[in-house]
Coordinates of all heavy atoms in Angstrom, one line a residue:
V120 N 11.9 42.5 -45.5 CA 12.1 43.7 -44.7 C 11.0 44.7 -45.0 O 10.8 45.0 -46.2 CB 13.5 44.4 -44.9 CG1 13.7 45.6 -44.0 CG2 14.6 43.4 -44.7
S121 N 10.4 45.2 -44.0 CA 9.4 46.3 -44.3 C 9.4 47.3 -43.2 O 9.9 47.1 -42.1 CB 8.0 45.6 -44.4 OG 7.6 45.1 -43.2
D122 N 8.9 48.5 -43.5 CA 8.9 49.6 -42.6 C 7.6 50.3 -42.6 O 6.9 50.3 -43.6 CB 10.0 50.6 -43.0 CG 11.4 50.3 -42.5 OD1 11.5 50.1 -41.3 OD2 12.3 50.3 -43.3
A123 N 7.3 50.9 -41.5 CA 6.0 51.7 -41.4 C 6.1 52.9 -42.3 O 7.2 53.5 -42.6 CB 5.8 52.2 -39.9
F124 N 4.9 53.3 -42.8 CA 4.8 54.4 -43.7 C 4.3 55.6 -42.9 O 3.4 55.5 -42.1 CB 3.8 54.1 -44.8 CG 3.6 55.2 -45.8 CD1 4.6 55.8 -46.5 CD2 2.3 55.7 -45.9 CE1 4.3 56.8 -47.4 CE2 2.0 56.7 -46.8 CZ 3.0 57.3 -47.5
S125 N 4.9 56.8 -43.1 CA 4.4 58.0 -42.5 C 4.4 59.1 -43.5 O 5.2 59.0 -44.5 CB 5.2 58.3 -41.3 OG 6.6 58.6 -41.7
V126 N 3.6 60.1 -43.3 CA 3.6 61.3 -44.2 C 4.0 62.5 -43.4 O 3.8 62.6 -42.2 CB 2.3 61.5 -44.9 CG1 1.9 60.4 -45.8 CG2 1.2 61.7 -43.8
P127 N 4.7 63.5 -44.0 CA 5.1 64.7 -43.3 C 3.8 65.6 -43.1 O 3.0 65.7 -44.0 CB 6.1 65.4 -44.2 CG 6.1 64.7 -45.5 CD 5.2 63.5 -45.4
V128 N 3.7 66.1 -41.8 CA 2.6 66.9 -41.5 C 3.1 68.3 -41.1 O 4.0 68.4 -40.3 CB 1.7 66.3 -40.3 CG1 0.6 67.3 -39.9 CG2 1.1 65.0 -40.8
C129 N 2.5 69.4 -41.7 CA 3.0 70.7 -41.4 C 2.7 71.0 -39.9 O 1.6 70.8 -39.4 CB 2.2 71.7 -42.3 SG 2.5 73.4 -41.9
T130 N 3.8 71.5 -39.2 CA 3.6 71.7 -37.8 C 2.8 73.0 -37.5 O 2.3 73.2 -36.4 CB 5.0 71.9 -37.1 OG1 5.7 72.9 -37.7 CG2 5.8 70.6 -37.2
Q131 N 2.7 73.8 -38.6 CA 2.0 75.1 -38.4 C 0.5 75.0 -38.6 O -0.3 75.5 -37.8 CB 2.5 76.1 -39.5 CG 2.3 77.5 -39.2 CD 3.3 78.4 -40.0 OE1 4.5 78.4 -39.7 NE2 2.7 79.2 -40.9
C132 N 0.0 74.2 -39.7 CA -1.4 74.2 -39.9 C -2.0 72.7 -39.9 O -3.2 72.5 -40.0 CB -1.7 74.8 -41.3 SG -1.3 73.8 -42.7
G133 N -1.1 71.7 -39.8 CA -1.6 70.4 -39.7 C -1.9 69.7 -41.0 O -2.4 68.6 -41.0
H134 N -1.5 70.4 -42.1 CA -1.8 69.8 -43.4 C -0.8 68.6 -43.7 O 0.4 68.8 -43.5 CB -1.6 70.9 -44.5 CG -2.0 70.5 -45.9 ND1 -3.2 70.0 -46.2 CD2 -1.2 70.4 -47.0 CE1 -3.2 69.7 -47.5 NE2 -2.1 70.0 -48.0
A135 N -1.4 67.5 -44.1 CA -0.5 66.3 -44.4 C -0.2 66.3 -45.9 O -1.0 66.4 -46.8 CB -1.3 65.0 -44.1
L136 N 1.1 66.2 -46.2 CA 1.6 66.3 -47.6 C 2.1 65.0 -48.1 O 2.8 64.3 -47.4 CB 2.8 67.2 -47.6 CG 2.6 68.7 -47.7 CD1 2.4 69.2 -46.3 CD2 3.9 69.4 -48.3
W137 N 1.6 64.7 -49.3 CA 2.2 63.5 -50.0 C 2.0 63.8 -51.5 O 0.9 64.0 -51.9 CB 1.6 62.2 -49.6 CG 2.4 61.1 -50.2 CD1 2.2 60.4 -51.3 CD2 3.7 60.6 -49.7 NE1 3.1 59.5 -51.6 CE2 4.1 59.6 -50.6 CE3 4.5 60.9 -48.7 CZ2 5.3 58.9 -50.5 CZ3 5.7 60.2 -48.5 CH2 6.1 59.2 -49.4
P138 N 3.0 63.7 -52.3 CA 4.4 63.6 -52.0 C 4.9 64.7 -51.1 O 4.3 65.8 -51.1 CB 5.2 63.6 -53.3 CG 4.2 63.7 -54.4 CD 2.8 64.0 -53.8
S139 N 6.0 64.5 -50.4 CA 6.5 65.6 -49.5 C 7.1 66.7 -50.3 O 7.5 66.5 -51.5 CB 7.6 65.0 -48.6 OG 8.7 64.5 -49.3
R140 N 7.0 67.9 -49.8 CA 7.5 69.1 -50.5 C 8.2 69.9 -49.4 O 7.9 69.8 -48.2 CB 6.3 69.9 -51.0 CG 5.8 69.5 -52.4 CD 4.5 70.1 -52.7 NE 3.5 69.1 -52.8 CZ 2.2 69.3 -52.9 NH1 1.7 70.6 -52.9 NH2 1.3 68.4 -53.0
P141 N 9.1 70.8 -49.9 CA 9.8 71.6 -48.9 C 9.0 72.7 -48.2 O 9.3 73.2 -47.2 CB 11.0 72.3 -49.7 CG 10.5 72.2 -51.1 CD 9.6 71.0 -51.3
V142 N 7.9 73.1 -48.9 CA 7.0 74.2 -48.4 C 5.6 73.7 -48.4 O 5.1 73.1 -49.3 CB 7.2 75.5 -49.2 CG1 6.2 76.6 -48.7 CG2 8.6 75.9 -49.3
C143 N 4.9 74.0 -47.3 CA 3.5 73.6 -47.2 C 2.6 74.4 -48.2 O 2.7 75.7 -48.2 CB 3.0 73.9 -45.8 SG 1.2 73.6 -45.6
P144 N 1.8 73.7 -49.1 CA 1.1 74.5 -50.1 C -0.1 75.2 -49.4 O -0.7 76.1 -50.1 CB 0.6 73.4 -51.0 CG 0.6 72.1 -50.2 CD 1.7 72.3 -49.2
R145 N -0.4 74.9 -48.2 CA -1.6 75.6 -47.6 C -1.2 76.9 -46.9 O -1.9 77.9 -47.0 CB -2.3 74.6 -46.6 CG -3.6 75.2 -46.0 CD -4.2 74.3 -45.0 NE -4.9 73.2 -45.6 CZ -5.4 72.2 -44.9 NH1 -5.3 72.2 -43.6 NH2 -6.1 71.2 -45.5
C146 N -0.1 76.8 -46.1 CA 0.2 78.0 -45.3 C 1.7 78.5 -45.5 O 2.0 79.5 -44.9 CB 0.1 77.6 -43.8 SG 1.3 76.6 -43.1
G147 N 2.5 77.8 -46.3 CA 3.8 78.3 -46.5 C 4.8 77.8 -45.5 O 6.0 78.2 -45.5
G148 N 4.3 77.0 -44.5 CA 5.2 76.6 -43.5 C 6.3 75.7 -44.0 O 6.2 75.1 -45.1
T149 N 7.4 75.6 -43.3 CA 8.6 74.8 -43.7 C 9.0 73.8 -42.7 O 10.0 73.1 -42.9 CB 9.8 75.7 -44.1 OG1 10.1 76.5 -43.0 CG2 9.5 76.6 -45.3
L150 N 8.2 73.6 -41.6 CA 8.6 72.6 -40.6 C 7.5 71.5 -40.7 O 6.3 71.8 -40.7 CB 8.6 73.2 -39.2 CG 9.8 74.2 -39.0 CD1 9.7 74.8 -37.6 CD2 11.1 73.5 -39.1
F151 N 8.0 70.3 -40.7 CA 7.1 69.1 -40.8 C 7.6 68.1 -39.8 O 8.7 68.0 -39.4 CB 7.2 68.5 -42.2 CG 6.8 69.5 -43.3 CD1 7.8 70.3 -43.9 CD2 5.5 69.7 -43.6 CE1 7.5 71.2 -44.9 CE2 5.2 70.7 -44.6 CZ 6.2 71.4 -45.2
E152 N 6.6 67.3 -39.4 CA 6.9 66.1 -38.6 C 6.2 64.9 -39.1 O 5.1 65.1 -39.7 CB 6.6 66.3 -37.1 CG 5.1 66.6 -36.9 CD 4.8 67.0 -35.4 OE1 5.8 67.3 -34.7 OE2 3.6 67.0 -35.0
P153 N 6.9 63.8 -39.1 CA 6.2 62.6 -39.7 C 5.1 62.1 -38.8 O 5.1 62.1 -37.6 CB 7.4 61.5 -39.7 CG 8.3 62.0 -38.6 CD 8.2 63.5 -38.5
R154 N 4.0 61.7 -39.5 CA 2.9 61.1 -38.8 C 2.6 59.8 -39.4 O 2.5 59.7 -40.7 CB 1.6 62.0 -38.8 CG 0.5 61.5 -38.0 CD -0.7 62.4 -38.0 NE -0.4 63.7 -37.4 CZ -1.1 64.8 -37.6 NH1 -2.2 64.8 -38.2 NH2 -0.8 65.9 -37.0
A155 N 2.4 58.8 -38.6 CA 2.1 57.4 -39.1 C 0.9 57.5 -40.0 O -0.1 58.1 -39.7 CB 1.8 56.5 -38.0
A156 N 1.0 56.8 -41.2 CA -0.1 56.8 -42.2 C -0.2 55.4 -42.7 O -0.2 55.1 -43.9 CB 0.2 57.8 -43.3
G157 N -0.3 54.5 -41.7 CA -0.2 53.0 -42.1 C -1.5 52.4 -42.6 O -1.5 51.3 -43.1
R158 N -2.6 53.2 -42.5 CA -3.9 52.6 -42.9 C -4.6 53.6 -43.9 O -4.6 54.8 -43.7 CB -4.8 52.4 -41.7 CG -4.4 51.2 -40.9 CD -5.2 51.0 -39.6 NE -4.7 49.9 -38.9 CZ -5.2 48.7 -39.0 NH1 -6.1 48.4 -39.9 NH2 -4.7 47.7 -38.3
G159 N -5.3 52.9 -44.8 CA -6.1 53.7 -45.8 C -7.1 52.9 -46.5 O -7.3 51.7 -46.1
V160 N -7.8 53.5 -47.4 CA -8.8 52.8 -48.2 C -8.5 53.0 -49.7 O -8.2 54.1 -50.2 CB -10.2 53.4 -47.9 CG1 -11.3 52.8 -48.8 CG2 -10.5 53.2 -46.4
V161 N -8.6 51.9 -50.4 CA -8.3 51.9 -51.9 C -9.4 52.7 -52.5 O -10.6 52.5 -52.3 CB -8.4 50.4 -52.4 CG1 -8.3 50.5 -54.0 CG2 -7.2 49.6 -51.8
E162 N -9.0 53.7 -53.4 CA -9.9 54.5 -54.1 C -10.0 54.0 -55.6 O -11.1 53.9 -56.1 CB -9.5 56.0 -54.2 CG -9.6 56.6 -52.8 CD -9.8 58.1 -52.9 OE1 -9.2 58.7 -53.9 OE2 -10.5 58.7 -52.1
E163 N -8.9 53.6 -56.2 CA -8.9 53.2 -57.6 C -7.7 52.2 -57.7 O -6.7 52.3 -57.0 CB -8.5 54.4 -58.5 CG -9.7 55.1 -59.0 CD -9.3 56.1 -60.1 OE1 -9.1 55.7 -61.3 OE2 -9.0 57.2 -59.7
T164 N -7.9 51.3 -58.6 CA -6.8 50.4 -59.0 C -6.5 50.5 -60.4 O -7.3 50.8 -61.2 CB -7.1 48.9 -58.6 OG1 -8.2 48.5 -59.4 CG2 -7.4 48.8 -57.1
T165 N -5.2 50.2 -60.8 CA -4.8 50.2 -62.2 C -3.7 49.2 -62.3 O -3.1 48.8 -61.3 CB -4.4 51.6 -62.6 OG1 -4.1 51.6 -64.0 CG2 -3.2 52.1 -61.9
R166 N -3.4 48.9 -63.6 CA -2.3 48.0 -63.8 C -1.2 48.6 -64.7 O -1.5 49.3 -65.6 CB -2.8 46.7 -64.5 CG -3.4 45.7 -63.6 CD -3.5 44.3 -64.2 NE -3.7 43.4 -63.1 CZ -2.8 42.8 -62.4 NH1 -1.5 42.9 -62.7 NH2 -3.1 42.0 -61.3
A167 N 0.0 48.4 -64.3 CA 1.2 48.9 -65.1 C 1.9 47.6 -65.5 O 2.8 47.2 -64.7 CB 2.0 49.9 -64.4
G168 N 1.6 47.0 -66.6 CA 2.2 45.7 -67.0 C 1.7 44.7 -66.0 O 0.5 44.5 -65.7
A169 N 2.7 44.0 -65.4 CA 2.4 43.0 -64.4 C 2.1 43.5 -63.0 O 1.8 42.7 -62.1 CB 3.5 41.9 -64.4
V170 N 2.3 44.8 -62.8 CA 2.2 45.4 -61.5 C 0.8 46.0 -61.3 O 0.4 46.8 -62.1 CB 3.3 46.5 -61.3 CG1 3.2 47.1 -59.9 CG2 4.7 45.9 -61.5
A171 N 0.2 45.6 -60.2 CA -1.1 46.2 -59.8 C -0.8 47.4 -58.9 O -0.1 47.2 -57.9 CB -2.0 45.2 -59.1
L172 N -1.4 48.5 -59.2 CA -1.2 49.7 -58.4 C -2.6 50.2 -57.9 O -3.6 50.0 -58.5 CB -0.6 50.8 -59.3 CG 0.7 50.6 -59.9 CD1 1.1 51.7 -60.9 CD2 1.8 50.5 -58.8
A173 N -2.5 50.8 -56.7 CA -3.7 51.4 -56.2 C -3.5 52.8 -55.7 O -2.4 53.1 -55.2 CB -4.2 50.5 -55.0
S174 N -4.5 53.7 -55.9 CA -4.4 54.9 -55.2 C -5.2 54.7 -53.9 O -6.3 54.2 -53.9 CB -5.0 56.1 -56.0 OG -6.3 55.8 -56.5
V175 N -4.5 55.1 -52.8 CA -5.1 54.8 -51.4 C -5.2 56.1 -50.7 O -4.2 56.9 -50.6 CB -4.1 53.9 -50.7 CG1 -4.6 53.6 -49.2 CG2 -3.9 52.5 -51.4
R176 N -6.4 56.4 -50.2 CA -6.5 57.6 -49.3 C -6.2 57.2 -47.9 O -6.9 56.3 -47.3 CB -8.0 58.1 -49.4 CG -8.1 59.4 -48.5 CD -9.3 60.2 -48.8 NE -9.4 60.7 -50.2 CZ -8.8 61.9 -50.6 NH1 -8.1 62.6 -49.8 NH2 -9.0 62.2 -51.8
V177 N -5.2 57.8 -47.4 CA -4.7 57.4 -46.0 C -5.5 58.2 -45.0 O -6.1 59.2 -45.3 CB -3.2 57.6 -45.8 CG1 -2.4 56.7 -46.8 CG2 -2.8 59.0 -46.0
D178 N -5.5 57.6 -43.8 CA -6.3 58.2 -42.7 C -6.0 59.7 -42.4 O -6.8 60.5 -42.0 CB -6.1 57.4 -41.4 CG -6.7 56.0 -41.5 OD1 -7.4 55.8 -42.5 OD2 -6.4 55.2 -40.6
T179 N -4.7 60.1 -42.7 CA -4.3 61.4 -42.4 C -4.6 62.4 -43.5 O -4.4 63.6 -43.4 CB -2.7 61.5 -42.2 OG1 -2.1 60.7 -43.2 CG2 -2.4 61.0 -40.8
G180 N -5.2 61.9 -44.7 CA -5.7 62.8 -45.7 C -5.3 62.6 -47.1 O -6.1 62.5 -48.0
P181 N -3.9 62.5 -47.4 CA -3.5 62.5 -48.7 C -3.8 61.2 -49.4 O -4.0 60.2 -48.8 CB -2.0 62.8 -48.7 CG -1.6 62.5 -47.3 CD -2.8 62.7 -46.4
V182 N -3.7 61.2 -50.8 CA -3.8 60.0 -51.6 C -2.4 59.6 -52.0 O -1.7 60.4 -52.5 CB -4.7 60.2 -52.8 CG1 -4.7 59.0 -53.7 CG2 -6.2 60.5 -52.3
V183 N -2.1 58.3 -51.8 CA -0.8 57.9 -52.2 C -0.9 56.7 -53.2 O -1.9 56.0 -53.2 CB 0.1 57.4 -51.0 CG1 0.2 58.5 -49.9 CG2 -0.5 56.2 -50.4
I184 N 0.1 56.5 -54.0 CA 0.1 55.4 -55.0 C 1.0 54.3 -54.4 O 2.1 54.6 -54.0 CB 0.6 55.8 -56.3 CG1 -0.1 57.1 -56.9 CG2 0.6 54.7 -57.3 CD1 -1.6 56.8 -57.2
A185 N 0.4 53.1 -54.4 CA 1.2 52.0 -53.8 C 1.0 50.7 -54.7 O 0.0 50.6 -55.4 CB 0.7 51.7 -52.4
R186 N 1.9 49.8 -54.6 CA 1.7 48.5 -55.2 C 0.8 47.7 -54.4 O 0.9 47.7 -53.2 CB 3.1 47.8 -55.3 CG 4.0 48.4 -56.3 CD 5.3 47.7 -56.3 NE 6.1 48.2 -57.3 CZ 6.8 47.5 -58.3 NH1 6.7 46.2 -58.2 NH2 7.5 48.0 -59.2
L187 N -0.1 47.0 -55.1 CA -1.0 46.1 -54.4 C -0.3 44.7 -54.2 O 0.1 44.1 -55.1 CB -2.3 45.9 -55.1 CG -3.4 47.0 -54.9 CD1 -4.5 46.7 -55.9 CD2 -3.9 47.0 -53.5
A188 N -0.3 44.3 -52.9 CA 0.3 43.0 -52.6 C -0.7 41.9 -52.9 O -0.3 40.7 -53.0 CB 0.9 43.0 -51.2
A189 N -1.9 42.2 -52.9 CA -3.0 41.2 -53.2 C -4.1 42.0 -53.8 O -4.3 43.2 -53.7 CB -3.4 40.6 -51.9
D190 N -5.0 41.3 -54.5 CA -6.1 41.9 -55.2 C -7.0 42.6 -54.1 O -7.3 42.1 -53.1 CB -7.0 40.9 -55.9 CG -6.5 40.6 -57.3 OD1 -5.6 41.4 -57.8 OD2 -6.9 39.6 -57.9
A191 N -7.3 43.9 -54.4 CA -8.2 44.6 -53.6 C -9.0 45.6 -54.4 O -8.5 46.3 -55.2 CB -7.3 45.4 -52.6
A192 N -10.3 45.5 -54.2 CA -11.2 46.4 -54.9 C -11.3 47.7 -54.3 O -10.9 47.9 -53.1 CB -12.6 45.7 -55.0
A193 N -11.9 48.7 -55.0 CA -12.1 50.0 -54.4 C -12.9 49.9 -53.2 O -13.9 49.1 -53.1 CB -12.8 50.9 -55.4
G194 N -12.6 50.6 -52.2 CA -13.3 50.6 -50.9 C -12.7 49.6 -49.9 O -13.1 49.6 -48.7
T195 N -11.7 48.9 -50.3 CA -11.1 47.9 -49.4 C -10.1 48.7 -48.5 O -9.3 49.5 -48.9 CB -10.3 46.9 -50.2 OG1 -11.2 46.2 -51.1 CG2 -9.6 45.8 -49.3
A196 N -10.1 48.3 -47.2 CA -9.1 48.9 -46.3 C -7.8 48.1 -46.4 O -7.8 46.9 -46.6 CB -9.6 48.7 -44.8
V197 N -6.7 48.9 -46.4 CA -5.4 48.3 -46.6 C -4.4 48.9 -45.6 O -4.7 50.0 -45.1 CB -4.8 48.5 -48.0 CG1 -5.6 47.6 -49.0 CG2 -4.8 49.9 -48.4
E198 N -3.3 48.2 -45.4 CA -2.2 48.8 -44.7 C -1.1 49.2 -45.6 O -0.8 48.4 -46.6 CB -1.7 47.8 -43.6 CG -2.6 47.6 -42.5 CD -2.1 46.7 -41.4 OE1 -0.9 46.3 -41.6 OE2 -2.8 46.4 -40.5
L199 N -0.4 50.3 -45.4 CA 0.7 50.7 -46.2 C 2.0 50.6 -45.5 O 2.1 50.9 -44.3 CB 0.5 52.2 -46.6 CG -0.7 52.5 -47.5 CD1 -1.0 54.0 -47.5 CD2 -0.4 52.0 -48.9
R200 N 3.0 50.1 -46.2 CA 4.3 50.0 -45.6 C 5.3 49.9 -46.7 O 5.0 49.6 -47.8 CB 4.4 48.8 -44.7 CG 4.2 47.4 -45.4 CD 4.4 46.3 -44.4 NE 3.3 46.2 -43.5 CZ 2.7 45.1 -43.2 NH1 3.1 44.0 -43.7 NH2 1.6 45.1 -42.4
W201 N 6.5 50.3 -46.3 CA 7.7 50.2 -47.2 C 8.2 48.8 -47.3 O 8.3 48.2 -46.2 CB 8.8 51.2 -46.8 CG 8.5 52.6 -46.9 CD1 8.3 53.5 -45.9 CD2 8.3 53.4 -48.1 NE1 8.0 54.7 -46.4 CE2 8.0 54.7 -47.7 CE3 8.4 53.1 -49.5 CZ2 7.8 55.7 -48.7 CZ3 8.2 54.1 -50.4 CH2 7.9 55.4 -50.0
R202 N 8.5 48.4 -48.4 CA 9.2 47.1 -48.6 C 10.5 47.3 -49.4 O 10.4 48.0 -50.4 CB 8.3 46.1 -49.2 CG 9.0 44.7 -49.4 CD 8.1 43.7 -50.1 NE 7.0 43.2 -49.2 CZ 6.0 42.6 -49.6 NH1 5.8 42.3 -50.9 NH2 5.1 42.2 -48.7
V203 N 11.6 46.8 -48.9 CA 12.8 46.9 -49.6 C 12.9 45.7 -50.6 O 12.9 44.6 -50.2 CB 14.0 46.9 -48.7 CG1 15.3 47.0 -49.5 CG2 13.9 48.1 -47.7
A204 N 13.0 46.1 -51.9 CA 13.0 45.1 -52.9 C 14.5 44.5 -53.1 O 15.4 45.0 -52.5 CB 12.6 45.7 -54.3
A205 N 14.6 43.4 -53.9 CA 15.9 42.8 -54.1 C 16.9 43.7 -54.6 O 18.1 43.6 -54.3 CB 15.7 41.6 -55.0
D206 N 16.5 44.7 -55.4 CA 17.4 45.7 -55.9 C 17.8 46.8 -55.0 O 18.5 47.8 -55.3 CB 16.9 46.3 -57.3 CG 15.6 47.0 -57.1 OD1 15.2 47.2 -55.9 OD2 15.0 47.4 -58.1
G207 N 17.3 46.7 -53.7 CA 17.6 47.7 -52.7 C 16.7 48.9 -52.7 O 16.8 49.8 -51.8
R208 N 15.8 49.0 -53.6 CA 14.9 50.2 -53.6 C 13.7 50.0 -52.7 O 13.2 48.9 -52.6 CB 14.4 50.5 -55.1 CG 15.6 50.9 -56.0 CD 15.1 51.0 -57.4 NE 14.0 52.0 -57.6 CZ 13.3 52.2 -58.7 NH1 13.6 51.4 -59.7 NH2 12.4 53.0 -58.7
R209 N 13.3 51.1 -52.1 CA 12.1 51.0 -51.3 C 10.8 51.2 -52.1 O 10.8 52.1 -52.9 CB 12.1 52.1 -50.2 CG 13.2 51.8 -49.2 CD 12.8 52.5 -47.9 NE 12.5 53.9 -48.1 CZ 11.9 54.7 -47.1 NH1 11.7 54.2 -45.9 NH2 11.6 55.9 -47.4
R210 N 9.9 50.3 -51.9 CA 8.6 50.5 -52.6 C 7.5 50.5 -51.6 O 7.5 49.7 -50.7 CB 8.4 49.3 -53.6 CG 9.4 49.3 -54.7 CD 8.9 48.5 -55.9 NE 9.9 48.6 -57.0 CZ 10.8 47.7 -57.2 NH1 10.9 46.6 -56.4 NH2 11.7 47.8 -58.2
L211 N 6.5 51.3 -51.9 CA 5.4 51.4 -51.0 C 4.4 50.3 -51.4 O 4.0 50.3 -52.6 CB 4.7 52.8 -51.1 CG 3.7 53.2 -50.1 CD1 4.3 53.1 -48.7 CD2 3.2 54.6 -50.3
I212 N 4.0 49.5 -50.5 CA 3.0 48.4 -50.8 C 1.8 48.6 -50.0 O 1.8 49.1 -48.9 CB 3.6 47.0 -50.7 CG1 4.1 46.8 -49.3 CG2 4.8 46.8 -51.7 CD1 4.3 45.4 -48.9
A213 N 0.7 48.1 -50.5 CA -0.6 48.1 -49.8 C -1.0 46.6 -49.6 O -1.0 45.9 -50.6 CB -1.7 48.8 -50.7
V214 N -1.2 46.3 -48.4 CA -1.5 44.9 -48.1 C -2.8 44.9 -47.3 O -3.1 45.8 -46.5 CB -0.4 44.2 -47.2 CG1 0.9 44.1 -48.0 CG2 -0.2 44.9 -45.9
P215 N -3.6 43.8 -47.5 CA -4.8 43.7 -46.6 C -4.5 43.7 -45.2 O -3.4 43.1 -44.8 CB -5.5 42.4 -47.1 CG -4.8 42.1 -48.4 CD -3.5 42.7 -48.3
P216 N -5.2 44.3 -44.3 CA -4.9 44.3 -42.9 C -4.9 42.8 -42.3 O -5.7 42.0 -42.8 CB -6.1 45.0 -42.2 CG -6.8 45.7 -43.3 CD -6.5 45.0 -44.6
A217 N -3.9 42.6 -41.4 CA -3.8 41.2 -40.9 C -5.0 40.9 -40.0 O -5.5 41.8 -39.4 CB -2.5 41.1 -40.1
Ligands
LIG419 ZN1 0.9 74.4 -43.4

């Protein structure tokens, strides 16, 4: 099971937030709407034990941390989506574009 990834965007100034916060750090706005953030570029990769992680700059601006579903070097374009793990928790994963 997987779901599209989106980030909240301030309706007042257009700033995209990740992680989401109750108040926009740029303008103090408190209204947000989700904007699809399904694509980005790997900036850095790291390992946490057996798990490969990447910081990914998404098209809408913010950098998000996601699990790498396949090896990807810095500069690689990836797609971001939520995957529900066996334990029921949602994890953000980065996969190479199909
Ligand atoms: Zn704002």
Side-chain angles (χ1 to χ4, degrees):
V120 180
S121 64
D122 272 310
F124 176 60
S125 63
V126 296
V128 174
C129 176
T130 58
Q131 200 161 293
C132 76
H134 186 58
L136 279 80
W137 190 261
S139 61
R140 277 168 243 170
V142 177
C143 174
R145 184 185 282 174
C146 75
T149 55
L150 291 175
F151 302 92
E152 58 187 13
R154 185 177 298 166
R158 284 173 183 272
V160 174
V161 173
E162 290 205 326
E163 267 186 89
T164 62
T165 185
R166 280 199 165 267
V170 179
L172 299 172
S174 51
V175 177
R176 180 165 302 274
V177 299
D178 292 349
T179 45
V182 173
V183 306
I184 306 296
R186 287 177 177 232
L187 276 173
D190 275 344
T195 304
V197 290
E198 287 183 6
L199 292 166
R200 62 177 75 131
W201 291 110
R202 178 180 287 168
V203 179
D206 61 7
R208 292 174 59 189
R209 292 203 310 169
R210 295 202 177 93
L211 193 59
I212 59 160
V214 298

